[in-house]
Amino acid sequence: MRKRESSIITFIALFVFILFVFILRDSGWSKGMRSIFEQILSPLQSFALSVSTLPSNLSTNKQLEKLQKENRNLLSRQAELERLRQDNAALNDQFALVNPKPSLLIPAKIVGMPQFVPGITYPDEIILGIGSLDGIKEGLAVVSKDQLIGKILRTSEHRSVAMLISNKNSSITVKNSATGALGLLKGMGGRDMILDNVVLSESLNISDIIVTKGDQNENGIGIAPDLVVGKIVSVSKKASDLFQSASVKSLTDVTKLPVVFVLNQ
Amino acid sequence: MKAGILLLILFVFLFLEGSVTFVPLVFDAILVLYVLKREAWIFTLAFFAGLMLDVVYVRQFGQTSLFFLASLFLVFLYERKYEIKTKEFVFLFSFLAGGAYLYYFNRTILVTQTLLNSLAVLVLFLALSWKRNQIF
């Protein structure tokens, strides 16, 4: 009987405490408490992630990984060349475009990958070890080199969560770097995405590189233009349909990246 | 000794769940602990484990704790009417609560994952029940 009373008292006390936490969630006290927890847990979480991804990283053939990296770089270069060809040459000479500009990038260590089981599932979101105190805001783009990885979904003082572009809830406006065909890229889970809403008159070809169209507000928050999102692996085009679609595969394996960059414009 | 082993299991689960995997391992461990021990300190443990998960997942502070406490309180209410230290109860409760957890926090309804999670809880429950005389 005494045990039951003790359980009820403990439950009520903790329940009331949680209510206070909810009520005072925007206060300095709550943020301070969270900040202390974050600073304690961040290195431990980062260590746990590196230990859990170790088997899959070890099993990867180094040579294959090197070739894949070279392939990614070549494809990125191809997309960059296509873009350069279409741009005004004089303007390029004047501004020496580099996309994205290194000065705008904030390095962020990946400290967590919820829903990721090595070899079985691919993450939908990644947790970054930096937060609002480091200048991270919701909606900013997350990149690796010139490739779009995702965008910031929510932040706390020392952490932030980024939704990957392959997440089923992700949807961004993109274009074919070779032909300029516009479409809507939707995440399908894993590293797969689908390019939809492309009018039939436009041309989509296998191996074409898809880049972002650009979707930023007046404060620079959003997705910058001309970031590589992936490569077309198959095209579905029927004369009876309103639009054509294509399957797009991301060129970057996020699970292999220790660090990504937040594009703060 | 026993508190050390329990905390170690929970600590390992906490960081596994915080860094990789979607399976609610911490909830599983807490549920099995409560079913086996039925002591008030497990509510406190659930509360702090929930806070830590909220931090690592950048969730609203306290919501995971609230879920853990509410679930344990349900088990607590059921223990007067039913025998909770059974395979059937553990499996059914972990299936329903684990499903609710996955839906609420991951916005997914995945029957296979929930089922696998319930089986994992069952294995943990049976292993700890079997080892109970040595551990508890």
Side-chain angles (χ1 to χ4, degrees):
Chain A
M1 198 61 194
R2 203 169 166 181
K3 209 171 170 180
R4 284 187 68 80
E5 281 172 8
S6 166
S7 292
I8 292 172
I9 290 167
T10 310
F11 173 76
I12 292 172
L14 293 170
F15 189 78
V16 170
F17 188 73
I18 289 177
L19 287 183
F20 273 110
V21 169
F22 277 139
I23 293 165
L24 302 170
R25 64 177 177 266
D26 294 325
S27 69
W29 173 84
S30 178
K31 283 181 180 168
M33 195 169 152
R34 183 176 198 118
S35 181
I36 291 167
F37 268 113
E38 281 176 348
Q39 282 170 351
I40 295 168
L41 293 174
S42 194
L44 295 170
Q45 193 185 4
S46 186
F47 172 73
L49 179 68
S50 50
V51 169
S52 17
T53 52
L54 195 63
S56 67
N57 287 343
L58 283 176
S59 65
T60 308
N61 186 317
K62 291 280 174 197
Q63 186 67 22
L64 182 66
E65 200 176 306
K66 193 183 165 194
L67 287 170
Q68 282 174 339
K69 199 175 172 183
E70 278 176 13
N71 190 33
R72 272 203 303 273
N73 287 339
L74 286 170
L75 288 169
S76 297
R77 195 176 293 175
Q78 186 190 339
E80 179 72 8
L81 286 171
E82 287 289 348
R83 191 177 59 77
L84 286 172
R85 190 174 60 79
Q86 289 173 2
D87 281 354
N88 182 299
L91 199 64
N92 267 339
D93 289 340
Q94 188 173 347
F95 291 108
L97 282 179
V98 179
N99 187 31
K101 287 178 186 167
S103 59
L104 303 171
L105 299 173
I106 305 169
K109 193 168 186 189
I110 300 176
V111 296
M113 292 182 192
Q115 305 194 4
F116 170 56
V117 180
I120 300 172
T121 57
Y122 192 77
D124 279 339
E125 292 175 353
I126 51 174
I127 300 171
L128 307 178
I130 55 172
S132 54
L133 289 182
D134 305 286
I136 306 300
K137 298 177 196 121
E138 286 175 22
L140 289 178
V142 179
V143 299
S144 171
K145 295 186 181 167
D146 63 344
Q147 298 183 15
L148 180 69
I149 303 291
K151 68 176 179 181
I152 300 293
L153 202 59
R154 53 185 188 272
T155 61
S156 65
E157 284 188 353
H158 297 283
R159 271 161 194 275
S160 40
V161 176
M163 178 172 72
L164 300 184
I165 50 170
S166 53
N167 186 310
K168 285 179 182 167
N169 295 321
S170 166
S171 172
I172 50 173
T173 316
V174 293
K175 64 181 179 187
N176 185 331
S177 67
T179 63
L182 291 172
L184 198 62
L185 189 83
K186 295 170 189 166
M188 298 293 286
R191 282 168 70 185
D192 301 319
M193 293 160 281
I194 189 150
L195 174 61
D196 214 346
N197 292 40
V198 182
V199 291
L200 288 178
S201 56
E202 296 281 8
S203 170
L204 292 179
N205 302 304
I206 290 174
S207 296
D208 278 357
I209 301 297
I210 303 301
V211 297
T212 53
K213 171 77 173 67
D215 182 18
Q216 290 179 308
N217 64 16
E218 66 275 15
N219 299 320
I221 294 185
I223 309 289
D226 299 317
L227 296 169
V228 176
V229 292
K231 182 176 79 167
I232 293 181
V233 288
S234 69
V235 179
S236 169
K237 187 175 184 178
K238 289 177 192 160
S240 57
D241 288 345
L242 274 176
F243 300 109
Q244 58 179 318
S245 62
S247 293
V248 176
K249 189 135 188 130
S250 169
L251 301 174
T252 310
D253 184 356
V254 175
T255 62
K256 300 263 180 350
L257 296 176
V259 174
V260 290
F261 295 88
V262 180
L263 190 53
N264 188 9
Q265 300 205 317
Chain B
M1 176 64 183
K2 65 183 178 187
I5 292 169
L6 297 174
L7 284 175
L8 187 69
I9 291 173
L10 199 66
F11 195 73
V12 170
F13 279 8
L14 182 70
F15 285 101
L16 271 178
E17 192 180 333
S19 52
V20 291
T21 190
F22 46 84
V23 181
L25 295 170
V26 176
F27 175 70
D28 296 351
I30 287 169
L31 176 67
V32 172
L33 268 179
Y34 189 79
V35 167
L36 290 173
K37 291 196 70 83
R38 303 185 203 186
E39 285 180 11
W41 62 267
I42 299 171
F43 279 100
T44 315
L45 191 70
F47 172 76
F48 282 106
L51 283 189
M52 287 187 189
L53 280 179
D54 287 335
V55 169
V56 298
Y57 278 128
V58 199
R59 288 174 186 152
Q60 166 65 49
F61 216 32
Q63 61 176 333
T64 311
S65 297
L66 190 62
F67 183 90
F68 285 174
L69 284 180
S71 303
L72 289 191
F73 195 65
L74 266 180
V75 179
F76 170 79
L77 292 177
Y78 273 114
E79 76 181 38
R80 285 190 88 173
K81 286 193 171 187
Y82 305 104
E83 178 48 64
I84 62 166
K85 210 184 288 181
T86 60
K87 296 189 288 285
E88 293 78 11
F89 178 84
V90 168
F91 183 80
L92 193 67
F93 192 85
S94 63
F95 183 78
L96 295 173
Y101 182 94
L102 284 172
Y103 177 70
Y104 183 71
F105 292 112
N106 295 329
R107 294 280 164 218
T108 48
I109 306 171
L110 297 164
V111 178
T112 320
Q113 288 172 9
T114 313
L115 208 59
L116 285 172
N117 177 53
S118 303
L119 287 172
V121 175
L122 195 60
V123 169
L124 187 66
F125 171 72
L126 291 174
L128 289 179
S129 304
W130 181 62
K131 280 268 181 189
R132 196 160 177 249
N133 292 334
Q134 293 157 43
I135 293 177
F136 297 96

